[in-house]
Amino acid sequence: MARLGPIVNGLLVFAGLLWNCCEASFSTSVESGGEQCFTVRVPNNIPSTIAGDFDLLDDELSPDPVTVILFNNDFDVKWKSEPGATEGSFRFPKVTGRHLLCIQNGKLGKEEGMEEEEDDDVADDGEERIVGFALRVIAPSRVMEDEGPDEHEALALLERAENLLEDLEELEDHQGYLREREAAHREIAEQTFAYIWAWTLLEAFVVCAISTSQVLYLRKFFETRRYL
């Protein structure tokens, strides 16, 4: 029974982590040849883990022009998405200072201060793209002063709980992206239904007008023949 203490403590920590695991994902619209950047600040005195992911929400558009880059405080590239990737994720432990997540849609002009890409095949196609993303800072685990066997077991449980929590958060991000897609598809379906309804009303009006004109014409025709 004595060995249940660190296990129970680890489970309580895991329950506390699950209580705080609900975080929202975001989306941004990036025009062709444009860029959107978002800043996240990590405490300078507390090295933490920075993690995130992205997903291109426009399934019908090519992902080739989309590039997602994570810069550190010195504007060095910490991570860059793979060419042609529709989604991706990153995780960097023990970082401090300001970081910048930039989402690009096509090549940027020289006035933006960015270096020219080596791949000349990726050009602006004039299409605006919606990209979902998530960016989070994970505080380090508390270090125990006494490092006995029980403490090591509790720390191992805590580490597994944090990894599971990160997987749950990434899964929640993708569920948010699916809801964004569903909302966009629902809007398209409602617009299509509105167009079909308007066309049906117009068609019914035209049919009624033609039928009425034919009835009037036949009535006038038979009245003329009767007078003859």
Coordinates of all heavy atoms in Angstrom, one line a residue, residues 174-226:
H174 N -7.5 19.4 -34.2 CA -8.0 18.9 -35.5 C -9.5 18.8 -35.5 O -10.1 19.0 -36.5 CB -7.3 17.5 -35.8 CG -5.9 17.6 -36.2 ND1 -5.5 18.1 -37.4 CD2 -4.8 17.3 -35.5 CE1 -4.2 18.0 -37.5 NE2 -3.7 17.6 -36.3
Q175 N -10.1 18.5 -34.3 CA -11.5 18.5 -34.3 C -12.1 19.9 -34.5 O -13.1 20.1 -35.1 CB -12.0 18.0 -32.9 CG -11.8 16.5 -32.7 CD -12.2 16.0 -31.3 OE1 -12.4 16.8 -30.4 NE2 -12.4 14.7 -31.2
G176 N -11.4 20.9 -34.0 CA -11.8 22.3 -34.3 C -11.6 22.6 -35.7 O -12.5 23.3 -36.3
Y177 N -10.6 22.1 -36.4 CA -10.4 22.4 -37.8 C -11.6 21.7 -38.6 O -12.1 22.2 -39.6 CB -9.1 21.8 -38.3 CG -7.9 22.4 -37.6 CD1 -6.7 21.7 -37.4 CD2 -7.9 23.7 -37.1 CE1 -5.6 22.2 -36.7 CE2 -6.8 24.2 -36.4 CZ -5.7 23.5 -36.3 OH -4.6 24.0 -35.6
L178 N -12.0 20.5 -38.2 CA -13.1 19.8 -38.8 C -14.4 20.6 -38.7 O -15.2 20.7 -39.6 CB -13.3 18.4 -38.2 CG -12.2 17.4 -38.6 CD1 -12.4 16.1 -37.9 CD2 -12.1 17.1 -40.1
R179 N -14.6 21.2 -37.5 CA -15.8 22.0 -37.3 C -15.7 23.3 -38.2 O -16.8 23.7 -38.7 CB -15.9 22.4 -35.8 CG -16.3 21.3 -34.9 CD -16.7 21.8 -33.5 NE -15.6 22.4 -32.8 CZ -14.8 21.7 -32.0 NH1 -15.0 20.4 -31.8 NH2 -13.8 22.2 -31.4
E180 N -14.5 23.8 -38.4 CA -14.4 25.0 -39.3 C -14.8 24.5 -40.7 O -15.5 25.3 -41.5 CB -13.0 25.5 -39.3 CG -12.6 26.1 -38.0 CD -12.6 27.6 -38.1 OE1 -13.0 28.2 -39.2 OE2 -12.3 28.3 -37.1
R181 N -14.3 23.4 -41.2 CA -14.6 22.9 -42.5 C -16.1 22.6 -42.6 O -16.8 22.9 -43.6 CB -13.9 21.6 -42.8 CG -12.4 21.7 -43.0 CD -11.8 20.4 -43.5 NE -10.4 20.5 -43.9 CZ -9.4 20.3 -43.0 NH1 -9.7 20.0 -41.8 NH2 -8.1 20.4 -43.4
E182 N -16.7 22.0 -41.6 CA -18.2 21.7 -41.6 C -19.0 23.0 -41.7 O -19.9 23.1 -42.5 CB -18.5 21.0 -40.3 CG -20.0 20.6 -40.3 CD -20.4 19.9 -39.0 OE1 -19.5 19.7 -38.1 OE2 -21.6 19.6 -38.8
A183 N -18.5 24.1 -41.0 CA -19.2 25.4 -41.1 C -19.1 26.0 -42.5 O -20.1 26.5 -43.0 CB -18.7 26.3 -40.0
A184 N -17.9 25.9 -43.1 CA -17.8 26.4 -44.4 C -18.6 25.6 -45.4 O -19.3 26.2 -46.3 CB -16.3 26.3 -44.8
H185 N -18.7 24.3 -45.3 CA -19.4 23.5 -46.2 C -20.9 23.7 -46.0 O -21.7 23.7 -47.0 CB -19.1 22.0 -46.0 CG -17.7 21.6 -46.4 ND1 -17.1 20.4 -46.0 CD2 -16.8 22.3 -47.2 CE1 -15.9 20.4 -46.5 NE2 -15.7 21.5 -47.2
R186 N -21.3 23.9 -44.8 CA -22.8 24.2 -44.5 C -23.1 25.5 -45.1 O -24.2 25.7 -45.7 CB -23.0 24.3 -43.0 CG -24.5 24.4 -42.7 CD -24.7 24.7 -41.2 NE -24.2 23.6 -40.4 CZ -23.1 23.7 -39.5 NH1 -22.6 24.9 -39.4 NH2 -22.7 22.7 -38.9
E187 N -22.3 26.5 -45.1 CA -22.6 27.8 -45.7 C -22.7 27.7 -47.2 O -23.6 28.3 -47.8 CB -21.5 28.8 -45.4 CG -21.7 30.2 -45.9 CD -20.6 31.2 -45.5 OE1 -19.7 30.8 -44.8 OE2 -20.7 32.4 -45.9
I188 N -21.8 26.9 -47.8 CA -21.9 26.7 -49.3 C -23.2 25.9 -49.6 O -23.9 26.3 -50.6 CB -20.7 25.9 -49.8 CG1 -19.4 26.7 -49.6 CG2 -20.9 25.5 -51.2 CD1 -18.2 25.9 -50.0
A189 N -23.6 24.9 -48.8 CA -24.8 24.2 -49.0 C -26.1 25.1 -48.9 O -27.0 25.0 -49.7 CB -25.0 23.0 -48.1
E190 N -26.1 26.0 -47.9 CA -27.2 26.9 -47.7 C -27.3 27.9 -48.9 O -28.4 28.3 -49.3 CB -27.0 27.7 -46.4 CG -27.2 26.8 -45.2 CD -27.0 27.5 -43.9 OE1 -26.5 28.7 -43.9 OE2 -27.2 26.9 -42.8
Q191 N -26.1 28.4 -49.3 CA -26.1 29.3 -50.5 C -26.7 28.6 -51.7 O -27.5 29.1 -52.5 CB -24.7 29.8 -50.7 CG -24.2 30.8 -49.7 CD -22.8 31.3 -50.0 OE1 -22.2 30.8 -50.9 NE2 -22.4 32.2 -49.2
T192 N -26.2 27.3 -51.9 CA -26.7 26.5 -53.1 C -28.2 26.3 -53.0 O -28.9 26.4 -54.0 CB -26.0 25.2 -53.1 OG1 -24.6 25.4 -53.2 CG2 -26.4 24.4 -54.4
F193 N -28.7 26.0 -51.8 CA -30.1 25.8 -51.6 C -30.9 27.1 -51.9 O -32.0 27.1 -52.5 CB -30.4 25.3 -50.2 CG -31.9 25.1 -49.8 CD1 -32.6 24.0 -50.3 CD2 -32.6 26.1 -49.1 CE1 -33.9 23.9 -50.0 CE2 -33.9 25.9 -48.8 CZ -34.6 24.8 -49.3
A194 N -30.4 28.2 -51.4 CA -31.0 29.5 -51.7 C -31.1 29.8 -53.2 O -32.1 30.2 -53.7 CB -30.3 30.6 -51.0
Y195 N -30.0 29.5 -53.9 CA -30.0 29.7 -55.4 C -31.0 28.7 -56.0 O -31.8 29.2 -56.9 CB -28.6 29.4 -56.0 CG -27.6 30.4 -55.5 CD1 -26.3 30.0 -55.4 CD2 -27.9 31.7 -55.3 CE1 -25.3 31.0 -55.0 CE2 -27.0 32.7 -54.9 CZ -25.7 32.3 -54.8 OH -24.7 33.2 -54.4
I196 N -31.1 27.5 -55.6 CA -32.1 26.5 -56.2 C -33.5 27.0 -55.9 O -34.4 26.9 -56.8 CB -31.8 25.1 -55.6 CG1 -30.4 24.6 -56.1 CG2 -32.9 24.2 -56.0 CD1 -30.1 23.3 -55.5
W197 N -33.7 27.4 -54.7 CA -35.1 27.9 -54.3 C -35.5 29.1 -55.1 O -36.6 29.2 -55.6 CB -35.1 28.2 -52.8 CG -36.4 28.7 -52.3 CD1 -36.7 30.0 -51.9 CD2 -37.6 28.0 -52.2 NE1 -38.0 30.1 -51.5 CE2 -38.6 28.9 -51.7 CE3 -38.0 26.7 -52.5 CZ2 -39.9 28.5 -51.4 CZ3 -39.3 26.3 -52.3 CH2 -40.3 27.2 -51.7
A198 N -34.6 30.1 -55.3 CA -34.9 31.2 -56.1 C -35.1 30.8 -57.6 O -36.0 31.4 -58.2 CB -33.7 32.2 -56.1
W199 N -34.3 29.9 -58.1 CA -34.5 29.5 -59.5 C -35.8 28.7 -59.7 O -36.5 28.9 -60.7 CB -33.3 28.6 -59.9 CG -33.5 28.0 -61.3 CD1 -33.8 26.7 -61.6 CD2 -33.3 28.7 -62.5 NE1 -33.9 26.6 -63.0 CE2 -33.6 27.8 -63.6 CE3 -33.0 30.0 -62.8 CZ2 -33.5 28.2 -64.9 CZ3 -32.9 30.4 -64.2 CH2 -33.2 29.4 -65.2
T200 N -36.2 27.9 -58.6 CA -37.5 27.2 -58.7 C -38.7 28.2 -58.7 O -39.6 28.0 -59.5 CB -37.6 26.3 -57.5 OG1 -36.5 25.4 -57.5 CG2 -38.9 25.5 -57.5
L201 N -38.6 29.2 -57.9 CA -39.7 30.2 -57.9 C -39.7 31.0 -59.2 O -40.8 31.2 -59.8 CB -39.4 31.3 -56.8 CG -39.6 30.7 -55.3 CD1 -39.3 31.8 -54.3 CD2 -41.0 30.2 -55.1
L202 N -38.6 31.3 -59.8 CA -38.5 32.0 -61.1 C -39.1 31.1 -62.2 O -39.9 31.5 -63.0 CB -37.1 32.4 -61.4 CG -36.9 33.1 -62.8 CD1 -37.7 34.4 -62.9 CD2 -35.4 33.3 -63.1
E203 N -38.7 29.8 -62.1 CA -39.2 28.8 -63.1 C -40.8 28.7 -63.0 O -41.5 28.6 -64.0 CB -38.6 27.5 -62.9 CG -38.9 26.4 -64.0 CD -38.2 25.1 -63.7 OE1 -37.8 24.9 -62.5 OE2 -38.0 24.4 -64.7
A204 N -41.3 28.6 -61.7 CA -42.7 28.5 -61.5 C -43.4 29.7 -62.1 O -44.5 29.6 -62.7 CB -43.0 28.3 -60.1
F205 N -42.9 30.9 -61.8 CA -43.5 32.1 -62.3 C -43.5 32.1 -63.9 O -44.5 32.5 -64.5 CB -42.7 33.3 -61.8 CG -43.1 34.6 -62.4 CD1 -44.3 35.3 -61.9 CD2 -42.4 35.3 -63.4 CE1 -44.7 36.5 -62.4 CE2 -42.8 36.5 -63.9 CZ -44.0 37.1 -63.5
V206 N -42.4 31.7 -64.5 CA -42.4 31.7 -66.0 C -43.4 30.7 -66.5 O -44.1 31.0 -67.5 CB -41.0 31.3 -66.4 CG1 -40.9 31.1 -67.9 CG2 -40.0 32.5 -66.1
V207 N -43.5 29.5 -65.9 CA -44.5 28.5 -66.3 C -45.9 29.0 -66.2 O -46.7 28.9 -67.1 CB -44.3 27.2 -65.5 CG1 -45.4 26.2 -65.8 CG2 -42.9 26.5 -65.9
C208 N -46.2 29.7 -65.1 CA -47.5 30.2 -64.9 C -47.8 31.3 -65.9 O -49.0 31.4 -66.4 CB -47.7 30.8 -63.4 SG -47.7 29.5 -62.2
A209 N -46.8 32.2 -66.1 CA -47.0 33.2 -67.1 C -47.3 32.7 -68.5 O -48.2 33.2 -69.2 CB -45.8 34.2 -67.1
I210 N -46.5 31.7 -68.9 CA -46.7 31.1 -70.2 C -48.1 30.4 -70.3 O -48.8 30.5 -71.3 CB -45.6 30.1 -70.5 CG1 -44.2 30.8 -70.7 CG2 -45.9 29.3 -71.8 CD1 -43.0 29.9 -70.9
S211 N -48.4 29.7 -69.2 CA -49.7 29.0 -69.2 C -50.9 30.0 -69.3 O -51.9 29.8 -70.1 CB -49.9 28.1 -68.0 OG -48.8 27.2 -67.9
T212 N -50.8 31.1 -68.6 CA -51.8 32.1 -68.6 C -51.9 32.7 -70.0 O -53.0 33.0 -70.5 CB -51.5 33.2 -67.6 OG1 -51.5 32.6 -66.3 CG2 -52.6 34.2 -67.5
S213 N -50.8 33.0 -70.6 CA -50.8 33.6 -71.9 C -51.4 32.7 -73.0 O -52.1 33.1 -73.9 CB -49.4 34.1 -72.3 OG -48.5 32.9 -72.4
Q214 N -51.1 31.4 -72.8 CA -51.7 30.4 -73.8 C -53.2 30.3 -73.6 O -53.9 30.2 -74.6 CB -51.0 29.0 -73.5 CG -49.6 29.0 -74.0 CD -48.9 27.6 -73.7 OE1 -49.4 26.9 -72.9 NE2 -47.8 27.3 -74.4
V215 N -53.7 30.3 -72.4 CA -55.1 30.2 -72.1 C -55.8 31.5 -72.7 O -56.9 31.4 -73.4 CB -55.4 30.1 -70.6 CG1 -56.9 30.3 -70.3 CG2 -54.9 28.7 -70.1
L216 N -55.2 32.6 -72.5 CA -55.8 33.8 -73.0 C -55.8 33.8 -74.5 O -56.8 34.3 -75.2 CB -55.1 35.1 -72.5 CG -55.2 35.3 -71.0 CD1 -54.3 36.5 -70.5 CD2 -56.6 35.6 -70.6
Y217 N -54.7 33.3 -75.1 CA -54.7 33.3 -76.6 C -55.7 32.4 -77.1 O -56.4 32.7 -78.1 CB -53.3 32.9 -77.0 CG -53.1 32.6 -78.5 CD1 -53.0 33.7 -79.4 CD2 -53.2 31.3 -79.0 CE1 -52.9 33.5 -80.7 CE2 -53.1 31.1 -80.3 CZ -52.9 32.2 -81.2 OH -52.8 32.0 -82.6
L218 N -55.8 31.1 -76.5 CA -56.8 30.2 -77.0 C -58.2 30.7 -76.8 O -59.1 30.5 -77.7 CB -56.7 28.9 -76.3 CG -55.4 28.1 -76.6 CD1 -55.3 26.8 -75.8 CD2 -55.4 27.7 -78.1
R219 N -58.5 31.4 -75.7 CA -59.8 32.0 -75.5 C -60.2 33.0 -76.5 O -61.3 33.0 -77.1 CB -59.9 32.6 -74.1 CG -61.2 33.2 -73.7 CD -61.1 33.8 -72.3 NE -62.4 34.4 -72.0 CZ -62.6 35.0 -70.8 NH1 -61.6 35.1 -69.9 NH2 -63.8 35.6 -70.6
K220 N -59.2 33.9 -76.8 CA -59.4 34.9 -77.8 C -59.6 34.3 -79.2 O -60.4 34.7 -80.0 CB -58.2 35.9 -77.8 CG -58.4 37.0 -78.8 CD -57.3 38.0 -78.7 CE -57.4 39.2 -79.6 NZ -56.3 40.1 -79.6
F221 N -58.8 33.2 -79.5 CA -58.9 32.5 -80.8 C -60.3 31.9 -81.0 O -60.9 32.1 -82.0 CB -57.8 31.5 -80.9 CG -57.9 30.6 -82.1 CD1 -57.5 31.1 -83.3 CD2 -58.4 29.4 -82.0 CE1 -57.5 30.4 -84.5 CE2 -58.5 28.6 -83.2 CZ -58.1 29.1 -84.4
F222 N -60.9 31.2 -80.0 CA -62.2 30.6 -80.1 C -63.3 31.7 -80.1 O -64.3 31.5 -80.8 CB -62.4 29.6 -79.0 CG -61.6 28.3 -79.2 CD1 -60.6 28.0 -78.3 CD2 -61.9 27.5 -80.2 CE1 -59.9 26.8 -78.4 CE2 -61.1 26.3 -80.4 CZ -60.1 26.0 -79.5
E223 N -63.1 32.7 -79.4 CA -64.1 33.8 -79.5 C -64.2 34.4 -80.9 O -65.2 34.7 -81.4 CB -63.8 34.8 -78.4 CG -64.1 34.4 -77.0 CD -63.8 35.5 -76.0 OE1 -63.3 36.5 -76.4 OE2 -64.1 35.3 -74.8
T224 N -63.0 34.6 -81.5 CA -63.0 35.2 -82.8 C -63.6 34.2 -83.8 O -64.4 34.7 -84.7 CB -61.5 35.4 -83.2 OG1 -60.9 36.3 -82.3 CG2 -61.4 36.1 -84.6
R225 N -63.4 32.9 -83.7 CA -64.0 32.0 -84.6 C -65.5 31.9 -84.4 O -66.3 31.7 -85.4 CB -63.4 30.6 -84.4 CG -61.9 30.6 -84.9 CD -61.4 29.2 -85.1 NE -62.3 28.5 -86.1 CZ -62.0 27.3 -86.5 NH1 -61.0 26.6 -86.1 NH2 -62.8 26.7 -87.4
R226 N -66.0 32.1 -83.2 CA -67.4 32.0 -83.0 C -68.1 33.2 -83.6 O -69.2 33.1 -84.1 CB -67.7 32.0 -81.5 CG -69.2 31.8 -81.1 CD -69.3 31.8 -79.6 NE -68.9 33.0 -79.0 CZ -68.9 33.3 -77.7 NH1 -69.3 32.3 -76.9 NH2 -68.6 34.4 -77.2

